[in-house]
């Protein structure tokens, strides 16, 4: 499952700094949420961005883009007599930067809104076809876990489409294995002619940073888990927000499920390694915590999180807070 991969990557990066995190989210049925967002339509999001992109002036591909990906994904884990199977449908939004090379026959692409720079993050270079209307993405490129090559069609200087590509990933352990697969289609829409546009901020424990790397996931998951004592099954909706900057990473996730299924009614957790590492879930016995997330017209996101330590736990840990604002509309960006 792609959302699981995102979290796994975050944990690996944090562990490289000398930390090991184990996240759990087992939440009582009275978990509270303040704002239930409407489900996002990838078609509506792309159309909204395209209609606003008419304000862009540059005729080249260079600038900042939003990738809108629609995915159907399968996840399975098996270990001895136990297994877990998940199927999910997702919408992903992620920032990319494209830079045109001097010969105008090739481009460089990287995640985030800053100019592609291999010293800061992976940069993928692609040769355009003869009439500059497409390019081919191979395994190991910008599309993670790509199973076969995918054709990117350049519809205009502000729109690129990927149709029906597949992904596959497998990880084998001594007594178990994980397998993930998916089918996807994506539309990339340009939102700025300039790198590092002002699209919002994230503030963690009073330290603020501009948003330049942003990945949002919204989806619906159906799960079946088999134990020695029996089988549990259920469905839930999820939202996940991931931010990365030169300072560090912050990850927020929440899920909800109907009360008549065997899974918990709802949960959330927040993880950050900047300005210090913390991992807090809704059912933490040490904190009184609350997460609010709002979404305005599918293109503006606001989140606010607070975790107050209970008096008996005010020892080594401290209170924590996160707030963010992200605006993906082209006409809402401060072009530099």
């Amino acid at each position: 499952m792609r959302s699981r991969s995102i979290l796994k990557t975050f944990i690996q990066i944090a562990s490289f700094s000398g930390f090991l995190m184990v996240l759990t989210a087992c939440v009582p049925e009275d978990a509270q949420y303040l704002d239930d967002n409407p489900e996002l339509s990838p078609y509506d999001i792309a159309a909204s961005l395209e209609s606003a992109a008419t304000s862009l002036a540059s005729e080249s591909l260079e600038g900042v883009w939003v990738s809108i990906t629609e995915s159907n994904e399968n996840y399975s884990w098996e270990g001895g007599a136990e297994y877990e199977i998940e199927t999910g449908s997702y919408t992903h939004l992620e920032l990319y930067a494209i830079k045109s090379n001097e010969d105008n026959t090739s481009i460089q692409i990287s995640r985030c809104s800053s100019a592609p720079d291999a010293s800061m993050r992976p940069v993928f270079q692609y040769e355009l076809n003869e009439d500059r209307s497409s390019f081919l993405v191979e395994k190991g490129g910008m599309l993670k876990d790509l199973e076969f090559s995918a054709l990117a069609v350049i519809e205009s200087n502000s729109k690129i489409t990927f149709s029906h590509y597949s992904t596959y990933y497998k990880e084998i352990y001594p007594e178990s294995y994980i397998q993930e697969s998916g089918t996807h289609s994506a539309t990339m829409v340009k939102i700025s002619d300039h790198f590092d546009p002002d699209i919002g901020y994230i503030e963690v424990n009073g330290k603020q940073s501009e948003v330049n790397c942003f990945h949002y996931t919204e989806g619906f998951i159906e799960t079946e888990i088999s134990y020695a004592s029996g089988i549990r099954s259920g469905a839930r909706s999820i939202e996940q927000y991931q931010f990365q900057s030169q300072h560090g990473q912050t990850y927020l996730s929440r899920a909800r499920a109907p009360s008549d299924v065997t899974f918990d009614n709802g949960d959330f957790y927040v993880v950050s390694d900047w300005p210090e590492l913390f991992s807090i879930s809704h059912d933490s016995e040490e904190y009184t915590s609350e997460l609010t997330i709002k979404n305005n017209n599918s293109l503006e996101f606001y989140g606010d999180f607070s975790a107050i330590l209970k008096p008996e736990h005010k020892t080594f840990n401290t209170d924590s807070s996160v707030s963010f604002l992200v605006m993906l509309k082209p006409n809402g960006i401060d072009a530099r």
Side-chain angles (χ1 to χ4, degrees), residues 31-296:
Q32 296 180 357
Y33 296 92
L34 299 184
D35 296 283
D36 288 341
N37 298 337
E39 187 172 317
L40 302 180
S41 162
Y43 305 103
D44 292 342
I45 295 170
S48 296
L49 288 171
E50 285 181 67
S51 64
T54 55
S55 61
L56 300 176
S58 175
E59 293 297 323
S60 76
L61 298 175
E62 188 161 301
V64 177
W65 297 65
V66 174
S67 173
I68 308 103
T69 304
E70 185 177 23
S71 302
N72 291 296
E73 302 179 17
N74 300 285
Y75 166 88
S76 62
W77 170 88
E78 186 171 334
E82 298 182 355
Y83 70 82
E84 178 180 353
I85 298 173
E86 291 188 351
T87 59
S89 57
Y90 306 89
T91 298
H92 302 277
L93 302 182
E94 188 167 13
L95 290 173
Y96 282 86
I98 296 181
K99 184 176 179 60
S100 297
N101 291 333
E102 291 182 1
D103 56 8
N104 289 321
T105 62
S106 61
I107 56 174
Q108 297 178 48
I109 301 180
S110 68
R111 291 180 174 87
C112 305
S113 65
S114 54
D117 182 349
S119 67
M120 298 179 61
R121 58 184 58 90
V123 174
F124 309 101
Q125 181 155 317
Y126 297 106
E127 300 294 325
L128 305 182
N129 70 342
E130 188 173 348
D131 62 1
R132 302 176 187 176
S133 63
S134 66
F135 58 92
L136 195 64
V137 177
E138 304 281 3
K139 290 183 180 181
M142 62 178 288
L143 302 176
K144 189 176 180 182
D145 299 328
L146 189 63
E147 188 172 16
F148 307 106
S149 59
L151 182 67
V153 177
I154 302 172
E155 308 278 356
S156 69
N157 65 307
S158 61
K159 182 180 179 180
I160 298 173
T161 57
F162 295 83
S163 298
H164 307 298
Y165 63 91
S166 59
T167 56
Y168 180 79
Y169 170 82
K170 188 171 185 178
E171 192 166 342
I172 300 176
Y173 302 96
E175 297 180 357
S176 65
Y177 74 89
I178 291 173
Q179 184 172 274
E180 302 174 7
S181 62
T183 57
H184 320 266
S185 59
T187 300
M188 295 181 67
V189 180
K190 188 177 177 182
I191 62 169
S192 176
D193 292 323
H194 308 273
F195 297 119
D196 288 320
D198 181 9
I199 61 174
Y201 71 90
I202 177 161
E203 182 175 298
V204 183
N205 289 358
K207 301 290 186 179
Q208 191 174 107
S209 175
E210 291 184 355
V211 169
N212 51 33
C213 305
F214 176 65
H215 188 161
Y216 169 81
T217 297
E218 174 271 327
F220 184 78
I221 306 170
E222 295 181 283
T223 305
E224 181 177 296
I225 303 176
S226 173
Y227 302 97
S229 58
I231 295 177
R232 299 172 66 209
S233 62
R236 64 195 187 280
S237 60
I238 65 163
E239 291 171 86
Q240 296 174 335
Y241 297 78
Q242 185 183 29
F243 301 87
Q244 180 179 347
S245 71
Q246 67 271 27
H247 302 295
Q249 294 193 77
T250 301
Y251 180 92
L252 302 92
S253 176
R254 73 171 178 174
R256 310 176 209 53
S259 58
D260 59 348
V261 300
T262 56
F263 287 103
D264 292 316
N265 181 317
D267 68 73
F268 71 70
Y269 55 84
V270 179
V271 186
S272 184
D273 63 4
W274 166 78
E276 61 265 349
L277 178 71
F278 64 82
S279 170
I280 300 171
S281 61
H282 184 282
D283 65 334
S284 172
E285 295 181 355
E286 298 180 1
Y287 294 89
T288 299
S289 56
E290 185 173 72
L291 173 66
T292 303
I293 294 176
K294 295 181 180 179
N295 158 237
N296 180 25

